[in-house]
Amino acid sequence: MEMNKLSPREIIPKRIAMMFEDGMLVNLGVGVPGLVPQFLPKGIKVWLHAENGSIGAGAPVPPGGEVDPFMVDASWQYCTMMPGACTFDSSKSFGIIRGGHLAYTVLGALQVDEEGSLANWVVPGGKLAGMGGAMDLVAGAKKVIIATEHCSKDGSSKVLKKCTFPLTGLKVVDYIVTDLAFIEVTPEGLVLKEVAPGVTVEEVVSKTEAKLIIPANVPEMPI
Amino acid sequence: MAVIMDVKEAVKKIKDGMVIHVGGFYAVGTPEDIIDEMVKQGPKNLTLISNDGGAPDKGVGRLLAAGQVKKLIISWGGRTPLIPELVDKGELELELNPQGTLAERIRAAGYGLGGIITPTGLGTMIEEKFGQRVTFNGQDFLYHTPLKADVAIIGAYRADKAGNIIFRRSQRNFCEIMAMAADLTIAQVYKPIEEMGALDPDEIMVPGPLVDILVQQTGEERVMWR
């Protein structure tokens, strides 16, 4: 293996960061989606929306640090606020989401399928937590980007013909960005737009359960 | 005009079997002094409506641990392992709502609307369980009923004797809409309650006449790390 090979936690957020434009309002889920801001090109800044009622929440305060006890981000981290930040109540927060005011939401996936349906909130028989704001985010954001490893830990594809887990949203996904591929969801089906550096089209096809539409030219991700 | 009350007197208004809105998001905005007193006085068979399940030692999680809750309506409960345990044992009825749907159902109750129609949850378990599909102008939505409570308990940062409330930072969350969606609203106020005229009318987030009881918070706001 090459020494400088990028990890999934670099490939995925780096490719997604290239889609962001200066000043966009976006909502990022926990995990890999939250890494996207680290990879934004120089000079590009985006506004981060948090479900619990803020735009412009800043860096998390390390545990034990001095905090404002009234300020947490959407993943229960005490945090600062950026200059220009604002706060609001939950009704307005979800009005911002459902009203189409978010350019993108970036979320993780358990499963995503050929029709652009997403399952990311509960595994059948698994520990029950709840959907939180995920169903509203996929229903309301202008574009839904899925950031996920292409395969599960057991090697099975997460990009399926049809999701089998309970859905977060039906036909809601626009882009699927994995450690192997950049895929666009179109009315005709899933189009393989790019492959990750060093990955072949054949490898992507062999690791994808869903049917992929393969254009004549599939370039490498320009990351 | 709001009445300023000792927390003990205020919590006496909460009776067995009532439906209670509990403000807070990850329990930021949850009035913990009022929860303390509810655990002490022990009203039972409560239906709690809240964004989330708090944690075992924060927010609604404490009322669950004390066995006072019959039904829980939330969007997420991932910090309180007791929730799935109680559900499995048949001791708790759980209704999960998408967070925005939950907020809007509460707002609808406070704003005199007959319910909400939203695209959120179409084709999911929400539609199978309780959302009713309706079609307007060729577009599908789910209809949901409003969520009203007997009592709302919320946190507040500043308040005056008229009951006017200002929240701080992410404390605001569900507290603002819950204040309008209950027969009786009790607010726990962090800063010393102020004279009328001390708050700038343009900065008030809940109009005073909508708030019934103010309880003065005594200790510091409780911090709980993730």
Side-chain angles (χ1 to χ4, degrees), chain B residues 73 76 132 141 190 219:
Chain B
I73 302 177
W76 190 81
Q132 183 193 333
F141 300 94
Y190 176 79

Side-chain angles (χ1 to χ4, degrees), chain B residues 101-114:
Chain B
T101 297
L102 182 63
E104 215 54 18
R105 292 180 72 191
I106 295 165
R107 194 183 70 88
Y111 278 60
L113 302 176

Side-chain angles (χ1 to χ4, degrees), chain A residues 19-115:
Chain A
M19 303 169 76
F20 284 23
E21 292 166 25
D22 198 36
M24 273 182 166
L25 177 61
V26 300
N27 183 296
L28 307 178
V30 294
V32 171
L35 301 175
V36 174
Q38 296 174 21
F39 295 95
L40 286 174
K42 224 177 176 178
I44 303 285
K45 276 183 165 170
V46 295
W47 292 106
L48 297 182
H49 170 274
E51 289 93 310
N52 59 328
S54 72
I55 290 173
V61 178
E66 197 170 315
V67 299
D68 181 334
F70 297 101
M71 186 62 205
V72 291
D73 64 18
S75 55
W76 198 335
Q77 308 213 61
Y78 290 97
C79 66
T80 56
M81 301 198 81
M82 306 291 283
C86 60
T87 59
F88 33 82
D89 80 295
S90 293
S91 176
K92 183 169 282 180
S93 185
F94 281 83
I96 289 169
I97 292 172
R98 269 192 323 268
H101 305 285
L102 299 178
Y104 292 124
T105 183
V106 185
L107 296 167
L110 295 165
Q111 299 177 331
V112 57
D113 73 21
E114 268 177 31
E115 292 190 312

Side-chain angles (χ1 to χ4, degrees), chain A residues 68 70 74-75 78 90 129 132 136, chain B residues 26 75 77 99-100 168 170 226:
Chain A
D68 181 334
F70 297 101
S75 55
Y78 290 97
S90 293
D136 302 278
Chain B
Y26 298 137
S75 73
Q99 203 168 99
R168 179 175 172 81
S170 57
R226 178 166 170 258

Side-chain angles (χ1 to χ4, degrees), chain A residues 109-111 118-132 134-135 163-168, chain B residues 76 96 124-125 129:
Chain A
L110 295 165
Q111 299 177 331
L118 170 71
N120 79 346
W121 72 279
V122 65
V123 180
K127 188 171 155 278
L128 178 143
M131 68 290 291
M135 287 187 178
C163 292
T164 56
F165 294 169
L167 293 183
T168 308
Chain B
W76 190 81
L96 290 170
T124 72
M125 199 182 271
K129 291 211 165 164

